[in-house]
């Protein structure tokens, strides 16, 4: 039987991006780009979001790809966000089919039909990507936001440098802990994602996971879950100070539900810690597995 620390280390490494996955993500990006350049005047495209920052959890779903449009497509910028989303949707449906393509408020999702097994493995393949139409705006980008009906500003470089700084300040354990809690959040056991968008977990971690890494995954996770529960009702602005508040994704009822689930998870973590403290190692590992899901190893 693994010790709790060994189990956490294995869990952490299972949530790390590996070469095969990166190759598959690049191949999918190239595939989508090579198609979309036949439909739109695209200046460049790049993998971004949590994938590029190494804060995405597994299975790899909804990897963000920005498609920076050329000046000649600027007519879209003066129209409602739904227009460019609709145009990208129509184009992608032509290639991937209606069942694989979905409109979202800021992107179009393309599902590659990858099977996720009971252990949350996908044979190193990306399940889906979020195709995000974008215009360059100085150092920032403008992207459509059908929720507000407006174009919003964003800056992935600022989000990336904040994540890197937090990671380094926390003995290089910050991103691993963020991926773990995002894994908890995405687990189907809840029936829905408690925290929405999951980017909010990372944004909150910029303030809630700091100080010195104490060397114990179990304590850090318990404390992090409990702080998330405490502060889920706070207003969480875009860390780059450009887009709408990240906490706008949930209404009051949803925040209450998130708080309840985070508090329950934090109590479960306390029980798991207690098992280990009393020498019940096997029980402790099982309790963490029940909390996180199949990627937390039992052996
Ligand atoms: N309200 C916002 N204002 C500005 N930029 C945002 C906002 N929300 C998200 N972003 C940027 O867009 C990226 C993609 O958003 P998304 O919701 O997919 O988050 P994510 O960090 O990629 O998390 P996930 O792992 O859930 O995909 C974010 O990583 C962030 O850089
Ligand atoms: Mg994303």
């Amino acid at each position: 039987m693994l010790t709790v620390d060994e189990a956490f280390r294995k869990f952490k490494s299972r949530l790390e991006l590996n070469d095969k996955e990166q190759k598959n993500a690049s191949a999918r990006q190239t595939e989508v780009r090579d198609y979309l350049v036949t439909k739109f005047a695209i200046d460049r495209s790049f993998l971004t979001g949590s994938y590029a920052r190494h804060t995405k959890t597994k299975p790899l779903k909804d990897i963000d790809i920005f498609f920076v449009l050329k000046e000649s497509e600027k007519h879209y910028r003066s129209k409602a966000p739904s227009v460019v989303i609709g145009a990208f949707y129509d184009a992608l449906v032509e290639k991937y089919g209606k069942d694989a393509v979905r409109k979202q408020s800021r992107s179009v999702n393309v599902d590659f039909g990858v099977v996720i097994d009971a252990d949350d493995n996908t044979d190193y393949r990306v399940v889906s990507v979020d195709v995000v139409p974008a215009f360059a705006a100085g150092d920032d980008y403008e992207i459509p936001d059908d929720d507000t009906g407006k174009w919003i500003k964003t800056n992935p470089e600022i989000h990336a440098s904040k994540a890197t700084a937090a990671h380094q300040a926390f003995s290089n354990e910050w991103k691993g802990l963020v991926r773990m809690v995002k894994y908890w959040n995405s687990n189907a056991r809840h029936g829905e994602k408690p925290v929405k968008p999951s980017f909010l977990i990372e944004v909150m971690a910029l303030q809630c996971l700091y100080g010195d890494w104490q060397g114990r995954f179990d304590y850090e996770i318990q404390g992090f879950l409990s702080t998330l529960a405490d502060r889920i009702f706070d207003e969480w602005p875009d860390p780059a100070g450009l887009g709408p508040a990240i906490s706008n994704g949930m209404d009051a009822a949803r925040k209450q539900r998130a708080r309840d689930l985070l508090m329950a998870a934090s109590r479960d973590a306390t029980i798991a810690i207690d098992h280990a403290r009393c020498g019940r190692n096997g029980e402790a590992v099982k309790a963490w597995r029940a909390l996180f899901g199949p990627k937390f190893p039992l052996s």
Side-chain angles (χ1 to χ4, degrees):
M1 181 55 93
L2 295 175
T3 68
V4 169
D5 186 60
E6 286 163 350
F8 266 102
R9 282 175 199 284
K10 198 163 175 182
F11 180 42
K12 179 176 116 171
S13 82
R14 284 177 173 183
L15 297 182
E16 269 158 15
L17 263 185
N18 60 49
D19 288 351
K20 273 184 168 174
E21 290 162 339
Q22 277 170 297
K23 278 211 180 81
N24 185 248
S26 295
R28 287 303 194 185
Q29 187 214 343
T30 303
E31 170 193 314
V32 174
R33 185 206 51 218
D34 288 353
Y35 171 67
L36 284 178
V37 292
T38 70
K39 298 284 179 182
F40 300 93
I42 290 164
D43 184 36
R44 61 207 154 85
S45 67
F46 56 91
L47 290 157
T48 183
S50 58
Y51 171 83
R53 291 192 301 272
H54 293 258
T55 51
K56 184 162 275 303
T57 198
K58 298 216 189 153
L60 293 173
K61 286 182 192 166
D62 310 341
I63 293 187
D64 299 285
I65 313 175
F66 270 28
F67 287 87
V68 186
L69 294 163
K70 288 187 179 159
E71 209 49 39
S72 60
E73 302 283 16
K74 214 53 194 262
H75 58 101
Y76 281 117
R77 177 61 189 80
S78 52
K79 296 178 184 126
S82 56
V83 178
V84 73
I85 296 283
F88 270 63
Y89 172 81
D90 292 343
L92 289 162
V93 164
E94 234 180 87
K95 179 169 170 64
Y96 292 98
K98 226 165 145 269
D99 292 344
V101 181
R102 199 161 39 89
K103 282 187 203 182
Q104 301 178 140
S105 56
R106 295 174 189 161
S107 59
V108 177
N109 185 264
V110 180
D111 190 294
F112 301 117
V114 168
V115 175
I116 303 171
D117 75 13
D119 294 324
D120 274 349
N121 292 322
T122 62
D123 195 21
Y124 310 104
R125 287 173 299 170
V126 169
V127 175
S128 58
V129 294
D130 283 350
V131 173
V132 186
F135 286 104
D139 291 338
D140 307 324
Y141 296 92
E142 289 180 325
I143 60 170
D145 179 30
D146 204 24
D147 281 343
T148 57
K150 296 195 172 95
W151 288 74
I152 61 166
K153 273 203 162 72
T154 187
N155 188 317
E157 286 82 17
I158 298 178
H159 294 153
S161 65
K162 295 214 169 201
T164 300
H167 188 59
Q168 286 170 356
F170 209 66
S171 302
N172 297 322
E173 297 290 357
W174 189 89
K175 292 185 184 187
L177 292 167
V178 169
R179 286 194 299 267
M180 288 176 195
V181 173
K182 284 174 76 170
Y183 184 70
W184 168 81
N185 193 54
S186 67
N187 212 302
R189 285 170 304 126
H190 311 299
E192 55 170 358
K193 281 189 181 178
V195 180
K196 187 179 154 241
S198 60
F199 181 46
L200 181 59
I201 292 171
E202 178 173 343
V203 168
M204 292 177 76
L206 290 170
Q207 286 185 41
C208 301
L209 261 185
Y210 68 97
D212 290 326
W213 159 252
Q214 300 293 328
R216 290 271 308 253
F217 289 100
D218 51 0
Y219 281 24
E220 294 295 354
I221 289 288
Q222 190 280 323
F224 186 27
L225 289 167
S226 149
T227 309
L228 289 170
D230 279 351
R231 300 189 59 185
I232 198 76
F233 279 99
D234 292 1
E235 161 108 0
W236 294 91
D238 170 18
L242 294 167
I246 312 306
S247 47
N248 287 356
M250 289 183 286
D251 60 17
R254 207 131 177 198
K255 285 180 189 170
Q256 185 57 52
R257 175 95 184 118
R259 170 175 280 182
D260 292 345
L261 291 166
L262 284 160
M263 276 174 61
S266 148
R267 279 193 299 269
D268 290 345
T270 302
I271 292 168
I273 288 169
D274 224 48
H275 281 312
R277 204 167 43 81
C278 298
R280 296 187 295 270
N281 183 67
E283 291 304 305
V285 171
K286 276 188 215 150
W288 285 112
R289 159 74 163 233
L291 189 155
F292 282 116
K295 283 214 176 268
F296 193 91
L298 290 171
S299 59

